[in-house]
Amino acid sequence: MDERDDTQQGSVVTGLTRNQGILDLRARIREHWDSLSPSAQEVCRLLGEITPEQLLYKSAVDLGAETRTSNATVVRALQSLGYTGLADLKTAVARPFTDTTAPEMRARSRVEATKGDLPNVWNMVAAEWVDRINLMRASFSVEDYQQTVELMLGAREIVPFGFGSSYVVAEHLAFKLRRIGRRARPIHSSGFCLPDDLLGLERGDVVILFAPGRLVIDIDVLLSRVRTVGATSVLVTAELVDQLKDSVDVLLIAPHSPTGLTGDTATAMVVADALIQGVAASDVENTVQSSHTLNTLRQQMGF
């Protein structure tokens, strides 16, 4: 493949063509070009020329159709370049795109990408769900998951925390944990009211913090309180690894949506469910006893 400058024909010259994710992709294509199969070269030729905006809203099926190959060929080509798949590449491309593009422009791009075709909307959303789950599985750490479950099993109280839409995940986790016999309470307050909820933290508690990608002062105050009382913290995030890795005890990765087609809490909910089932499976007798007690109380209520 000829080495091309971003200003040559075939590239759209905007601030986003200097997207580091795209530049890294093009560097990898140049590096691996001679070892790629002809079909993989076709895929890489297209990937090397499209803009970040175009890439974010294309599926492997789309790319396969445009290169007259297949979605499997697209995935194999990306793996030859060192990516785990298309979702991995989109994640690398999405961050600078998000940082440099106004929210209303991203919203327009997202809507226009669906072409107003409802079956296409369904397919795009479902495909991104699958991509994000696959990306999460590829980066999954069994050791970190096991450590988190063990911490939860030994906790005095489990305290899930999430702000904005992440509170839904925190509430879900606490609700399900109580059902299997664990002491749990979610924190969803923020600002002036947050300190009231932090007063209840004690040594032996485990705080599970759902924070996809936005670092706010509430998180700093919460983690400071965790350290002060001798509690333990688990961070479930997509973007805050570098900023918070030294401030928490365990990190669990929940990849965000590169396009906004699926909610940031989608993969976090998968993590929450895995934690719930991990705790339940590790303490079967307590889980069964709690289920029995719950059903007894329901019967007393006439349910």
Side-chain angles (χ1 to χ4, degrees):
M1 180 181 184
D2 293 335
E3 187 166 343
R4 300 180 181 184
D5 185 82
D6 290 332
T7 59
Q8 288 182 327
Q9 188 175 3
S11 294
V12 178
V13 182
T14 68
L16 292 178
T17 57
R18 297 297 175 180
N19 177 298
Q20 188 56 49
I22 288 291
L23 295 177
D24 180 59
L25 167 65
R26 293 171 181 168
R28 295 191 192 196
I29 291 173
R30 290 193 294 269
E31 179 183 353
H32 295 279
W33 183 258
D34 292 338
S35 64
L36 298 173
S37 67
S39 57
Q41 288 179 347
E42 287 300 314
V43 172
C44 289
R45 183 175 286 109
L46 174 62
L47 290 174
E49 295 178 350
I50 62 178
T51 65
E53 307 97 306
Q54 293 169 331
L55 176 59
L56 288 179
Y57 297 102
K58 287 187 182 294
S59 67
V61 173
D62 294 332
L63 294 170
E66 291 181 32
T67 55
R68 297 183 180 181
T69 57
S70 67
N71 59 326
T73 299
V74 171
V75 173
R76 286 195 296 269
L78 288 169
Q79 290 173 342
S80 297
L81 299 178
Y83 299 100
T84 59
L86 184 56
D88 191 15
L89 172 58
K90 285 184 177 182
T91 298
V93 170
R95 185 177 296 117
F97 175 72
T98 300
D99 291 343
T100 58
T101 307
E104 61 270 22
M105 294 303 297
R106 296 200 302 271
R108 176 179 291 277
S109 296
R110 181 167 61 247
V111 173
E112 289 179 345
T114 66
K115 301 175 182 178
D117 180 348
L118 291 183
N120 189 46
V121 171
W122 167 261
N123 288 333
M124 291 178 69
V125 170
E128 184 168 293
W129 256 98
V130 173
D131 285 346
R132 288 177 68 187
I133 296 296
N134 286 337
L135 179 58
M136 182 166 61
R137 294 179 70 179
S139 60
F140 175 72
S141 169
V142 174
E143 292 78 11
D144 291 339
Y145 170 65
Q146 290 177 332
Q147 183 181 357
T148 302
V149 171
E150 289 169 3
L151 289 171
M152 294 170 72
L153 288 168
R156 183 195 75 91
E157 183 172 61
I158 301 168
V159 185
F161 171 84
F163 57 91
S165 59
S166 293
Y167 171 65
V168 175
V169 186
E171 173 68 31
H172 170 76
L173 178 57
F175 176 74
K176 290 291 188 177
L177 287 172
R178 291 194 296 268
R179 279 194 167 184
I180 60 174
R182 297 289 153 180
R183 183 175 174 181
R185 68 177 177 98
I187 293 179
H188 66 91
S189 58
S190 61
F192 185 79
C193 294
L194 179 60
D196 290 282
D197 283 326
L198 298 185
L199 285 174
L201 287 180
E202 296 182 15
R203 177 179 294 276
D205 290 350
V206 175
V207 174
I208 301 179
L209 169 60
F210 294 95
R214 186 177 174 191
L215 186 59
V216 296
I217 191 172
D218 305 63
I219 294 175
D220 287 334
V221 173
L222 170 64
L223 292 178
S224 176
R225 182 62 180 170
V226 167
R227 292 189 295 272
T228 298
V229 303
T232 305
S233 57
V234 177
L235 172 64
V236 182
T237 189
E239 296 290 338
L240 299 180
V241 175
D242 292 339
Q243 296 96 316
L244 296 177
K245 62 183 178 182
D246 295 328
S247 301
V248 298
D249 296 285
V250 188
L251 272 168
L252 297 174
I253 307 301
H256 69 80
S257 165
T259 64
L261 289 170
T262 54
D264 280 337
T265 60
T267 46
M269 189 67 80
V270 175
V271 172
D273 283 338
L275 293 176
I276 294 162
Q277 297 307 318
V279 170
S282 299
D283 191 357
V284 176
E285 292 304 319
N286 188 56
T287 299
V288 172
Q289 180 60 47
S290 294
S291 177
H292 173 73
T293 301
L294 179 63
N295 286 325
T296 299
L297 292 170
R298 284 173 173 169
Q299 289 171 1
Q300 293 174 359
M301 295 290 294
F303 299 132

